[in-house]
Amino acid sequence: MLLGTWEFMSSLLLERHHVAPTIQDDMESLVLVIIYHALRYLPNNKTKRISYILDTVFTHRVRLPSGEYWGGEARKYLFLYNDYIGDDFTLSSPPLRLWVEAAINAVKKWIEAERAKSKLVKAPTKLEMMIKERAAAKQGVLHPVSPAETEPTPPNNPPVLVKHHRLAEYFEYCLQKTDWPALEDDKPHDVLCSTI
């Protein structure tokens, strides 16, 4: 059973309903909250697609016959492949954009490390993932059957999300930047309302 706000639940937690949330799931949720608010309330270069991005990445889900929900693959693609926001994503706040970029990369590394533990030596392509996930959804399964769990081995280079302090340190670094927008230029504006 999943507990939490669907829009901001970690992609791995949505895949593995039977696993207790970790600090990494909570940190991914924080990153999702910041990305959501940056997209919705700050000037950015994705305003023409904002409704589609917010719906697909944050709210899309399918109710299975069992009554449980399945989804979250779009947010996984956002982290793994920079889907939906792309490599050209810009915000009115360059320091915040720096932090978002670093946070997305940290979550990507964490997802890849978790997959490596499951003996997925090479990350499947987006198409392979979509085919497996859709086939599983049609069968009423919450996620595709993965190879048998084996004793995990720690990664050689732990990702930033192993502990929260490195992400916090990078946030402190971004706060020290001098190119934050002026207060009069930094008022929140609901981009979604202006696109309707």
Side-chain angles (χ1 to χ4, degrees), residues 56-177:
T56 306
V57 174
F58 295 97
T59 60
H60 178 73
R61 59 185 165 212
V62 175
R63 188 175 182 147
L64 301 175
S66 66
E68 294 182 290
Y69 287 98
W70 178 83
E73 63 276 0
R75 67 190 69 171
K76 184 174 31 181
Y77 300 152
L78 181 144
F79 291 119
L80 290 174
Y81 309 111
N82 243 3
D83 274 7
Y84 304 101
I85 61 171
D87 294 328
D88 65 337
F89 178 54
T90 58
L91 287 170
S92 60
S93 171
L96 183 58
R97 172 63 186 123
L98 272 178
W99 187 85
V100 166
E101 187 175 290
I104 287 172
N105 191 45
V107 172
K108 175 184 177 177
K109 287 180 182 178
W110 180 256
I111 292 170
E112 289 172 343
E114 286 298 297
R115 286 183 165 180
K117 286 181 184 180
S118 297
K119 296 291 183 184
L120 291 175
V121 178
K122 88 173 179 65
T125 66
K126 181 179 173 184
L127 179 60
E128 291 169 336
M129 287 172 50
M130 287 174 57
I131 290 169
K132 286 181 182 178
E133 289 170 349
R134 287 187 180 155
K138 285 180 183 176
Q139 295 173 0
V141 179
L142 292 176
H143 55 82
V145 178
S146 59
E149 291 284 325
T150 59
E151 195 60 36
T153 56
N156 293 337
N157 297 316
V160 174
L161 289 187
V162 170
K163 293 189 179 177
H164 73 280
H165 73 278
R166 289 183 57 202
L167 206 52
E169 286 170 358
Y170 197 77
F171 189 70
E172 286 291 328
Y173 164 76
C174 290
L175 283 176
Q176 300 303 317
K177 303 287 273 173

Side-chain angles (χ1 to χ4, degrees), residues 20-75:
T22 64
I23 190 168
Q24 291 78 17
D25 292 310
D26 291 343
M27 287 190 288
E28 180 179 336
S29 292
L30 169 70
V31 173
L32 287 165
V33 168
I34 292 173
I35 292 171
Y36 178 91
H37 283 83
L39 283 166
R40 183 157 180 182
Y41 297 107
L42 293 176
N44 63 73
N45 66 335
K46 301 299 174 184
T47 55
K48 290 180 181 175
R49 299 184 62 221
I50 198 71
S51 182
Y52 171 75
I53 294 169
L54 294 179
D55 182 55
T56 306
V57 174
F58 295 97
T59 60
H60 178 73
R61 59 185 165 212
V62 175
R63 188 175 182 147
L64 301 175
S66 66
E68 294 182 290
Y69 287 98
W70 178 83
E73 63 276 0
R75 67 190 69 171

